[in-house]
Amino acid sequence: MEKRITGWINSTESFGAVDGPGVRFIVFLQGCRMRCRYCHNPETWGIAQTGTKMLSAPYEAFPEEIWEKARRYRSYWKNGGGITVSGGEPLLQTEFVTELFKLAKTGPAGASVHCALDTAGEPFDPGDNDFMQRFGALMEVTDLVILDIKHIDEEKHCALTGHTNANILAMAEYLSDLGKPLWIRHVLVPGISFSGEDRSDLYRLREFIDTLHTVERVEVLPYHRMGIPKWEKLGIPYSLAETPVPTGEEIQRAESILCR
């Protein structure tokens, strides 16, 4: 008997208002290979965190189970609302996300619900035919990709996340060529996104965004420290404890560069 597809779920949110248009049911998947220094959800990194205190217990579920849970809120999905799958990193579980989105599009009680994918793009591998086939199937049922670009400079991106950004930028270009609507997000971190009066990396990011043809929105997400207690509870050293949150003026300057 063929094994049914399941996904590892960290949590769900019934009335999300920032991860895509309208009111949304958000599924946070478990698992991420990036180790972003400012991550506010470090509990989503691994399926099991041996030797650390778990903040929540991830659970395994079938796509049908999550869809049944989500569709109870369909009456709130007016004005472009729908389902967003986030993480963790949802591209580590492409088959599960694809099946969930198929249910939202054509399954029982489905009515072509708007489906958004919130990703950092790290698993994207254009040289892996198997991945690209699965990714292509996912894109067929995805209406919007919300792509978090951590840093435009590859060396600084590696220092920030532990991974290159070359494949992530390639994914943005691939989606642009595919005609897939994109929202671009960038977490604004003093000393990392910019340094003093130097905004050159933000201008470089804007120049890259300008090469894409399907970007509908660019969002600046100010760095915050709300995730520090989670790092402490998990026993993980937090390297940005002395990093200040950006000021209102710094946020406005970044938005004037990136969101024009």
Side-chain angles (χ1 to χ4, degrees):
M1 180 181 294
E2 185 178 354
K3 184 179 179 181
R4 293 175 63 193
I5 295 170
T6 59
W8 280 99
I9 315 298
N10 177 271
S11 60
T12 61
E13 182 179 336
S14 304
F15 299 101
V18 296
D19 295 308
V23 175
R24 310 193 69 80
F25 185 89
I26 306 174
V27 184
F28 296 94
L29 298 186
Q30 187 73 14
C32 183
R33 295 193 294 231
M34 278 190 176
R35 294 296 180 263
C36 300
R37 294 169 62 193
Y38 53 68
C39 181
H40 62 279
N41 291 317
E43 73 277 14
T44 66
W45 286 352
I47 298 300
Q49 299 183 18
T50 304
T52 63
K53 180 180 179 181
M54 292 295 290
L55 300 181
S56 60
Y59 60 95
E60 198 171 10
F62 296 115
E64 295 83 358
E65 292 177 290
I66 299 301
W67 169 240
E68 284 301 311
K69 188 174 182 179
R71 74 184 184 91
R72 301 171 193 168
Y73 302 93
R74 283 186 58 204
S75 61
Y76 299 96
W77 298 345
K78 300 174 182 178
N79 301 317
I83 295 177
T84 297
V85 177
S86 185
E89 175 47 68
L91 290 184
L92 292 176
Q93 302 189 58
T94 53
E95 292 171 308
F96 172 83
V97 184
T98 300
E99 292 305 309
L100 175 60
F101 283 1
K102 283 181 179 179
L103 290 169
K105 292 293 184 187
T106 62
S112 195
V113 173
H114 186 277
C115 296
L117 179 77
D118 184 3
T119 174
E122 181 276 328
F124 184 79
D125 185 354
D128 184 334
N129 290 333
D130 178 63
F131 174 84
M132 292 305 293
Q133 287 181 357
R134 289 184 282 110
F135 185 75
L138 174 57
M139 288 302 101
E140 289 180 4
V141 287
T142 300
D143 298 295
L144 170 69
V145 176
I146 305 170
L147 179 60
D148 188 355
I149 299 182
K150 312 291 184 178
H151 210 291
I152 192 62
D153 183 88
E154 183 172 19
E155 183 176 346
K156 294 176 182 177
H157 190 280
C158 287
L160 178 63
T161 71
H163 289 268
T164 179
N165 67 354
N167 61 319
I168 297 166
L169 302 183
M171 175 177 156
E173 294 171 335
Y174 178 89
L175 292 172
S176 174
D177 292 342
L178 190 65
K180 187 65 59 179
L182 277 166
W183 286 12
I184 301 294
R185 285 177 165 174
H186 176 72
V187 178
L188 186 70
V189 188
I192 293 177
S193 299
F194 64 93
S195 181
E197 291 299 311
D198 184 0
R199 302 295 193 279
S200 58
D201 287 325
L202 293 177
Y203 282 106
R204 285 180 59 195
L205 177 54
R206 182 65 239 188
E207 289 173 359
F208 174 74
I209 292 172
D210 285 340
T211 68
L212 307 174
H213 309 298
T214 57
V215 176
E216 298 180 342
R217 183 170 178 171
V218 180
E219 297 181 331
V220 173
L221 308 180
Y223 164 74
H224 60 74
R225 299 171 175 170
M226 290 185 286
I228 294 180
K230 295 181 180 180
W231 288 66
E232 293 174 344
K233 288 181 180 179
L234 291 169
I236 308 172
Y238 189 79
S239 63
L240 299 181
E242 302 302 319
T243 299
V245 299
T247 65
E249 180 182 356
E250 289 169 339
I251 296 168
Q252 287 182 343
R253 289 185 65 182
E255 289 178 338
S256 71
I257 295 169
L258 295 177
C259 305
R260 65 174 186 266

